[in-house]
Amino acid sequence: MLSVSDLTKVFGGFTAVSNIAFEVKEGEILGLIGPNGSGKSTTFNLISGALAPTRGSIRFGGEDIAGLPANRIAHRGIARTFQIPRPFRRLSILDNVALAAFYGHAEHPAREKAYAYAREVLKLVNLPSDPAARVDGLGAAGLKKLELARALATGPKLLLADESLGGLDESEMNQAADMLAAIRKERGITIIWVEHIMGVLMRVVDRCIVLDYGEVIAEGRPDEVAHDPKVIEVYLGTDAADVQKTVADRAT
Amino acid sequence: MKWAALVVLALAPLAGMGNYPLHLLIMCLLWGFVYTSWAIMGRLGMVSLGHGAFLGIGAYVVVLLWNHAGISPWLGTPIALVLTAVVAFVIGYPCFRFKIVGHYFALVTLALTEVARLVIVALRDQTGGSLGATPNTALADSAWSLGALQFSSKLIWFYIILVAWLAGLWIWGRVDRSMTRLALEAISQEEDAAASVGMNVTRLKLGVTLLSALMTCFGGVLYAQYQLYVNPETVSGIGISLQIVFGAIVGGMFVRLGPTVGAAITLLLAEVLRLAIGHDVHGLDTTIYGLMLVLFIIFMPKGILGAILEALEKRRAAKTAAATA
């Protein structure tokens, strides 16, 4: 469904992403992991059109979308969330999501339809769809849900979930992971999931790609990646045993 | 209530208003229209200091075409509108495309308005330079000329400008209820997130900018034809651009009648100070005027009408809360 090859982004003299290549199959959840500054978010920004690549191609559904503006990529069916939530703070929660439902489709639906769809999505993520509900009242977990709801409201085929779950407690993290799994299962949406904390991600993803210094250093099933010596060296370190245990638990 | 107030306003001049009060009323409505036009984009996070340019194009293009080519304002107005659209596009497109927002956008547009003023001054052979220009009169042997859009009767102007002002408020209402307004609010808060959910940021911003600029240009046409005199300082340049911004903010740019209230207050304040203080101490009236504007903006960021409506809303909410408790 998505095929990235030779993708490179240079900022001045700094190469944030270098010759990345990977594929995403329809219906899978792909984990994109790596230490801070390894190029995960840049990769997302390139795919979603927030940044234009220096070089390389991004093919989505057979067409090259590299360098298209963000709004056109959204219309093609790729939605994203932001690592640090970026809600429209002075609008209601419902308006936040309804705007995505309205503008997220190249042919803008009728306004009532957009609002009806927004309510449906808000219900899915357990947020209030009451027009009086403001963004101000939301905590870290609520803002994450709003990011997700807004992305889903555009009706994506592919969801880029930039989920730094660091600010959440363990049960909230698991909830978020379960929600992504449910979205894939119920809506058939393909997901690329970026995460710093590997344990929770490993429970849900089908496949992982590990980035380091802007390059892909490993790729494979969670159990393979968790035992990859290179991944353990640059990234997992002393957490390796925990992550391996999570993956093993999942198998049983 | 709303309609009753409108009827009173529409009939007021018929009740034998003096020429001077009628002039003030016309000016309140005319500037109310211009400030409303500005606030349509200003309230959405696009603070333009360049509206003097659009006002100047409207005022000067029509007068110059009439004086030098004998082209009627009825044809001159669409020409001025097209020219305004071109200028608004040329300045707006690069700003929006390259994400020039906030203070930088204000500075770019500030430069635009100065360019407009300097061009008018520089082309003094055609425009009359700093001395201004007067449209050739068509009122030599009649009280009015529809073709030249000149009327000696203030009453006619009152109704023309009343209609323009009402149209401005109607447009404000249409924009206010649209998805576009919500989208532009979203864009003003989180531009990247707005683009990521499919909004064409450049196009949405350009759309509202064009609307605002065209309305302002039309205000310039009306101003020139009503006053029958244009001057680079009064229809373009930094002074008038700041006056528009201050007026709209003082009145309250987030509420429909706010810019009009701002126009009325700033205009009447300036007049009262001028009459009360006179010219004994040169510049004292304008100094006090400036100080009062600063105080209003600091202590009433939502504007006078905005603050009043908010206080009323709070009282009503407290009352219903007390009633249900």
Side-chain angles (χ1 to χ4, degrees), chain B residues 102-173:
Chain B
H103 302 96
Y104 296 97
F105 180 68
L107 283 176
V108 170
T109 53
L110 182 71
L112 171 70
T113 196
E114 266 306 274
V115 168
R117 188 184 68 83
L118 291 169
V119 166
I120 294 169
V121 173
L123 296 174
R124 61 176 61 81
D125 291 341
Q126 287 77 37
T127 62
S130 310
L131 295 176
T134 306
N136 295 339
T137 183
L139 303 178
D141 40 34
S142 73
W144 55 280
S145 162
L146 194 60
L149 206 63
Q150 294 182 12
F151 310 99
S152 59
S153 157
K154 281 203 167 28
L155 205 56
I156 296 177
W157 275 114
F158 170 78
Y159 287 108
I160 292 174
I161 287 167
L162 180 67
V163 168
W165 174 71
L166 286 172
L169 295 185
W170 181 78
I171 294 172
W172 169 290

Side-chain angles (χ1 to χ4, degrees), chain B residues 156-240:
Chain B
I156 296 177
W157 275 114
F158 170 78
Y159 287 108
I160 292 174
I161 287 167
L162 180 67
V163 168
W165 174 71
L166 286 172
L169 295 185
W170 181 78
I171 294 172
W172 169 290
R174 283 295 301 268
V175 173
D176 189 51
R177 287 188 299 273
S178 68
M179 272 318 245
T180 305
R181 194 263 302 169
L182 271 183
L184 283 162
E185 279 196 28
I187 288 168
S188 77
Q189 293 163 35
E190 285 292 349
E191 190 162 320
D192 289 340
S196 84
V197 296
M199 292 179 204
N200 187 333
V201 172
T202 307
R203 187 191 293 173
L204 284 162
K205 282 186 172 181
L206 262 180
V208 80
T209 302
L210 281 178
L211 178 64
S212 173
L214 291 174
M215 288 169 69
T216 304
C217 166
F218 188 63
V221 173
L222 293 178
Y223 179 86
Q225 297 304 121
Y226 169 61
Q227 295 281 49
L228 289 177
Y229 172 67
V230 286
N231 177 295
E233 298 295 336
T234 52
V235 295
S236 72
I238 292 174
I240 194 70

Side-chain angles (χ1 to χ4, degrees), chain A:
Chain A
M1 154 177 253
L2 183 80
S3 161
V4 172
S5 61
D6 193 29
L7 191 63
T8 302
K9 178 69 187 178
V10 181
F11 295 106
F14 172 68
T15 305
V17 164
S18 162
N19 295 317
I20 284 189
F22 63 89
E23 300 250 343
V24 187
K25 289 190 277 294
E26 189 150 2
E28 80 173 329
I29 301 186
L30 175 74
L32 191 59
I33 56 183
N36 273 330
S38 59
K40 305 182 299 289
S41 286
T42 304
T43 306
F44 264 26
N45 285 335
L46 293 172
I47 298 174
S48 67
L51 294 174
T54 309
R55 197 170 61 238
S57 90
I58 304 166
R59 299 186 74 79
F60 179 65
E63 287 172 76
D64 196 359
I65 59 163
L68 285 182
N71 57 308
R72 303 232 336 247
I73 288 181
H75 293 161
R76 298 280 178 107
I78 300 182
R80 68 163 310 172
T81 65
F82 290 89
Q83 184 180 353
I84 298 161
R86 295 192 188 175
F88 309 131
R89 283 191 182 275
R90 292 193 296 277
L91 300 181
S92 71
I93 292 173
L94 181 61
D95 282 342
N96 263 268
V97 181
L99 277 171
F102 187 80
Y103 286 98
H105 301 86
E107 299 254 327
H108 302 332
R111 202 170 159 154
E112 301 73 42
K113 249 184 160 170
Y115 273 87
Y117 190 52
R119 285 201 183 84
E120 196 184 303
V121 173
L122 282 168
K123 210 162 142 194
L124 181 80
V125 301
N126 284 321
L127 280 177
S129 58
D130 165 17
R134 313 294 304 179
V135 174
D136 307 333
L138 294 176
L143 288 174
K144 284 282 174 199
K145 286 180 182 171
L146 180 56
E147 280 288 311
L148 191 59
R150 203 170 56 182
L152 288 176
T154 65
K157 299 188 196 86
L158 172 66
L159 173 67
L160 310 176
D162 201 336
E163 293 283 295
S164 146
L165 299 181
L168 308 185
D169 66 32
E170 197 171 328
S171 85
E172 286 172 335
M173 265 190 241
N174 286 328
Q175 255 178 33
D178 292 343
M179 194 169 284
L180 286 181
I183 285 164
R184 190 254 305 255
K185 199 171 154 206
E186 286 166 22
R187 313 216 145 198
I189 297 173
T190 309
I191 297 172
I192 307 181
W193 183 5
V194 158
E195 178 54 270
H196 297 290
I197 300 165
M198 274 188 74
V200 63
L201 176 134
M202 289 300 203
R203 275 186 43 229
V204 177
V205 299
D206 303 315
R207 213 155 53 87
C208 272
I209 287 174
V210 186
L211 292 183
D212 190 39
Y213 289 109
E215 292 181 45
V216 176
I217 59 164
E219 184 179 347
R221 292 196 315 273
D223 54 326
E224 293 169 348
V225 168
H227 289 90
D228 188 309
K230 243 193 334 201
V231 176
I232 293 170
E233 187 198 324
V234 305
Y235 186 40
L236 294 178
T238 51
D239 291 338
D242 285 348
V243 172
Q244 285 159 6
K245 186 171 172 300
T246 308
V247 175
D249 286 350
R250 176 186 170 178
T252 56

